[in-house]
Amino acid sequence: MPEPLFDDLYRELILDHYRRPRHRGVLANPTVHVEGMNPVCGDEVRIDITVGGDTLREIAFDGQGCSISQASASMLASEVCGKSIEQTRSLSSAFKAMLVDGALPSALLGDLEALEGVAKFPVRVKCALLPWNVLEKGLNEAANKPEELSIG
Ligand code: ZN
C-alpha cells in the first residue's frame, strides 16, 4: 500500500513520531485498558489511560502497523496527556472533522494538523483514526467506572 505524500515538514514530524514514539509502553495501574484494530491495513493499537477526576493524567500506547497509525497514536498521546476529558473529546472531534468531513484544521489541533494530508487517502483515514477511536472507547469506559476509593 503506497504511503500518502505529505509536504516535507509534515513528513518529518510524522516519521519522527513513528521512529521515536512518545508515551509508548503500558501503565502499571491504568483506569482502563482498551484495544482496537484496523483489519483493512493490519494496524493494532492498545491504550492504557489513568483518569483522575476530570483529567486524563497518564496515557501509554502500544501496537503495530503502518507509520500513519503508529505516528497518529504517538501524536495523540503527546497531545492529550494532562488535558481534561472535555478538552480531549473536543480534540478528538476536531481531528475527525479534519479527516472525515474535510474541515479546515482547528487551532486546537497543534501538531496533529500534520496528519491533514491523510484526508486525501480515504483508506488511510482509518489508520489515522484508529488510536482516536480506541481512546474514545477508553474515555467512555472510564466514565462508567466507579472511582476507586482511595485510602488515607
Ligand atoms: Zn494503517
Side-chain angles (χ1 to χ4, degrees):
M1 203 175 288
E3 290 292 311
L5 297 170
F6 296 104
D7 67 42
D8 290 344
L9 179 72
Y10 284 173
R11 181 198 301 274
E12 277 310 307
L13 189 62
I14 293 165
L15 286 178
D16 185 57
H17 274 274
Y18 178 58
R19 291 180 184 134
R20 298 189 305 115
R22 291 21 161 216
H23 296 270
R24 192 172 177 105
V26 293
L27 299 179
N29 290 299
T31 308
V32 290
H33 170 88
V34 274
E35 309 183 353
M37 60 183 303
N38 167 23
V40 177
C41 185
D43 306 317
E44 295 173 24
V45 170
R46 295 176 284 280
I47 292 178
D48 286 350
I49 55 174
T50 302
V51 175
D54 62 354
T55 304
L56 206 169
R57 294 235 168 98
E58 283 184 89
I59 181 166
F61 84 96
D62 191 11
Q64 56 189 16
C66 71
S67 58
I68 300 299
S69 66
Q70 303 304 306
S72 181
S74 172
M75 294 170 89
L76 170 156
S78 303
E79 291 291 331
V80 303
C81 190
K83 282 197 161 67
S84 74
I85 303 302
E86 196 183 330
Q87 286 173 318
T88 301
R89 287 190 186 276
S90 300
L91 199 57
S92 185
S93 300
F95 189 73
K96 286 185 178 175
M98 176 177 79
L99 285 190
V100 179
D101 308 328
L104 286 175
S106 157
L108 290 176
L109 289 170
D111 281 355
L112 294 168
E113 188 184 339
L115 289 163
E116 186 189 8
V118 173
K120 284 178 274 186
F121 302 85
V123 171
R124 309 310 294 277
V125 166
K126 289 191 171 69
C127 305
L129 288 183
L130 172 63
W132 290 92
N133 290 334
V134 173
L135 176 67
E136 282 194 5
K137 192 164 91 177
L139 294 178
N140 292 340
E141 285 186 18
N144 290 326
K145 192 169 173 172
E147 290 231 13
E148 282 175 39
L149 292 174
S150 55
I151 299 167

